[in-house]
Structures are given as structure tokens and as C-alpha cells.
Amino acid sequence: MNTRYPFPASPNGWFSIGAADDLVQGDVKPVHYLGRELVLFRGEDGCARVFDAHCPHLGAHLGVGGRVCGDGVVCPFHGWRFDGEGQLVEVPGLDRTPRASARAWHVCERNGRIFVWHHAADAPPSFDVIGYRDDEASWTPWRSSTYRVRVHVQDLTENIIDRAHFGKVHDMAAPDQDHFEVSFSGASMVVEQSLKVTAVSKTGIEVSTRTTTCGPGIAAIEVNQGPLEMLTYIAQTPIDDQLTEVNLLFSMKHLLDEESTKSISELNDQITNVQFTQDVPIWENKIYRERPIITKVDGPVAQYRRWFRQFYSDPE
Ligand code: FES
Ligand SMILES: [Fe+2]
């Protein structure tokens, strides 16, 4: 992000690097996130793994032509074989293998996504990825949309508490039951609020939402209203120092009537994508004001930024 933001592009935390369903046993893929070249693969034990991409031998990319062997991967260039922990275990034609390894990342598969733990100083995970949809069979499959946006993840999440933009950017009306409450606890920020969405009906639909972030890379928006249980899950991952990939995922608990489930899903998906797209030109062209002028109609921006600082190894 160079001069645009006064902090690193990749904060510390869990970041999604793909959908779990897109990686079947034996798949090996090159991926580029967090300013790094990585190899993502699913071993014969069914576990997803992520290593630094380039082989410690002569630097081939393990994700381009490499293949799964056991729980590990074999380099496409000279056949060096690494186990599931990244340890070198075989060099073709050599009885004793030199001590070498490919750096293995912490991986967590949850909520249909594959997450890696990123920490600038290589510290181990300090929190878990919060799980949702425990009774998965009673929820609809994830609907998903992916965007690449020129914005920092800190600015993306700041949007959740930026109350003053809801009316202006998203055409939301003031809710009849005004409620807006923000709390911070460890790696999570929890925002409970009522919103009046006017994207699909002029009179507006009022909903109570609870948004829970999980570090700098994940936000879950829950709506529980009568028979409706809906979850919008946002996974955002820095690609490099300019771009962030955002996955907007939606799932809801099946209603008795499958037709209603389908139409509500489609409607919600449409609203989420419209609202997201409305923010994009603002995000891509704004600057970061270190000392913004905050008024009482704004959300708790200063508090949010203080909380977010925990995700940088060297806060300014
Ligand atoms: S570069 Fe990987 S085995 Fe030679
Ligand atoms: Fe927004």
C-alpha cells in the first residue's frame, strides 16, 4: 500500500485463500496472497496444506506441476519430496537427504473456506476462526461472489461502524427502532444495529443485525428474525500492497417452503452485492486520514482504529 496507508498491507490474522470445495484430494495449486507466492494442496489424508511456493533446492514453484504424495508434495523440477510438515524426506538418487524444508503455514478449514494464519513476526495463531452453521445440512449451500478492490482491509472493516455513510452511499433510511451498539473483545468487534434497507422496496425493510469480526480478515453478519436465520460471511484477504480480494458469502437456514428460501436468498444476495458495489469507488479513491474530524453522527472510528492496531506487529 506504500504511501497510501501508514501501516503494512497484511495485518496479522487468519485470511481466506480459497473455497474448501474447490480443492479436492490430490489437487495442487499456485496461489498468490499476502504479497507471497504459495502452494495450496490437499494431501491423501484429506487435509489442506499451504507451503511457501519455491522449492529450497533450485527454486521451482511447487504449485506449478508439483504433485501430491502421501500428505506432502513432490517438486516438479528434480523430484524432491516434502512431507505434510514441509520437511524434505526424499531426494531421488540420494541415500541421505540433506536437512531442508518448505515453510508450512498454519491452515484452518472452516465455514467452507480455507484460511491461513499470517503473522509478520511468525508468531503462532493467537485466536481461532469462529465457526458458524454447525448443523450444516439445515443451511443452504454458500452463494459466493468475489471482488478485487484497491483498498486496505482496515478500511473495509471500518465501513461496518461508519454509520454516517449508510444513508448517503447505501440509500438506507433511518430505522424506526434506532439501535447501534459496538463492543470490542480480543480479536472480535461486535456491532449490533438495526438497519432499514431500501434497496428492494421503497418503504424499506427493517432488520436487526449482529456483525462479528474475527481478526482483520473475517466478518460475519447474522440476522435472526422470526423463522429467518441468515448469515452473510465476508472473507477479505490482501493480495499485495495494493489489492484486496473480498469474498461475499451468503447462506440461510432452510425454511419449510423451498421456494421462499430460494427467493429470499436471491434477494439478500442481490442487496449485499449492490451495497458492496456502492462502496467500491469510495474505497478505491479515498486516502487514509490519520487524524480525521469525527462528529457525534459518525461511528466510533477512533476506538475502532485503536482496537485494530493489535493486528500489527509494530504499531506506530
Ligand atoms: S527445484 Fe525443487 S527439486 Fe529441484
Ligand atoms: Fe458501506
Side-chain angles (χ1 to χ4, degrees), residues 21-206:
D21 283 350
D22 289 347
L23 189 76
V24 301
Q25 205 176 69
D27 274 354
V28 182
K29 293 180 178 181
V31 289
H32 176 82
Y33 289 107
L34 304 157
R36 314 287 184 95
E37 300 295 337
L38 305 169
V39 54
L40 166 66
F41 63 95
R42 197 179 289 287
E44 283 166 21
D45 62 351
C47 290
R49 289 185 172 79
V50 175
F51 293 169
D52 275 353
H54 297 114
C55 181
H57 182 216
L58 284 171
H61 196 306
L62 298 170
V64 181
R67 61 176 178 83
V68 162
C69 181
D71 303 340
V73 68
V74 177
C75 179
F77 204 0
H78 313 93
W80 283 25
R81 183 162 69 85
F82 302 88
D83 68 12
E85 270 78 62
Q87 284 302 317
L88 176 65
V89 285
E90 186 190 345
V91 171
L94 214 62
D95 297 334
R96 281 186 46 193
T97 55
R99 280 166 66 93
S101 60
R103 193 166 87 90
W105 291 56
H106 292 277
V107 175
C108 171
E109 275 194 75
R110 201 155 286 166
N111 307 320
R113 307 295 302 178
I114 301 167
F115 295 93
V116 289
W117 171 258
H118 168 263
H119 193 283
D122 275 340
S126 53
F127 58 91
D128 290 328
V129 176
I130 301 168
Y132 294 90
R133 296 160 85 244
D134 283 344
D135 48 342
E136 203 180 317
S138 57
W139 290 76
T140 60
W142 293 108
R143 298 173 70 101
S144 120
S145 319
T146 304
Y147 297 86
R148 295 189 149 206
V149 189
R150 205 178 73 88
V151 65
H152 193 286
V153 289
Q154 181 179 319
D155 264 356
L156 280 167
T157 307
E158 190 171 289
N159 209 253
I160 299 167
I161 52 109
D162 183 350
R163 309 182 72 177
H165 92 290
F166 296 149
K168 184 73 188 140
V169 176
H170 302 302
D171 305 316
M172 287 188 200
D176 305 330
Q177 303 282 328
D178 202 11
H179 177 63
F180 185 81
E181 204 179 309
V182 183
S183 59
F184 299 91
S185 165
S188 286
M189 169 176 76
V190 180
V191 184
E192 290 185 4
Q193 62 182 317
S194 45
L195 296 170
K196 200 176 217 176
V197 181
T198 54
V200 286
S201 104
K202 276 225 156 50
T203 48
I205 304 168
E206 197 154 325

Side-chain angles (χ1 to χ4, degrees), residues 284-316:
E284 294 203 317
N285 295 287
K286 73 185 288 295
I287 59 165
Y288 180 79
R289 287 247 183 252
E290 279 198 86
R291 285 180 190 75
I293 301 166
I294 300 298
T295 74
K296 66 175 188 194
V297 298
D298 289 305
V301 174
Q303 247 179 303
Y304 163 76
R305 290 181 177 184
R306 264 197 306 280
W307 167 79
F308 201 96
R309 265 191 249 154
Q310 69 178 302
F311 303 119
Y312 299 113
S313 292
D314 298 306
E316 306 281 298

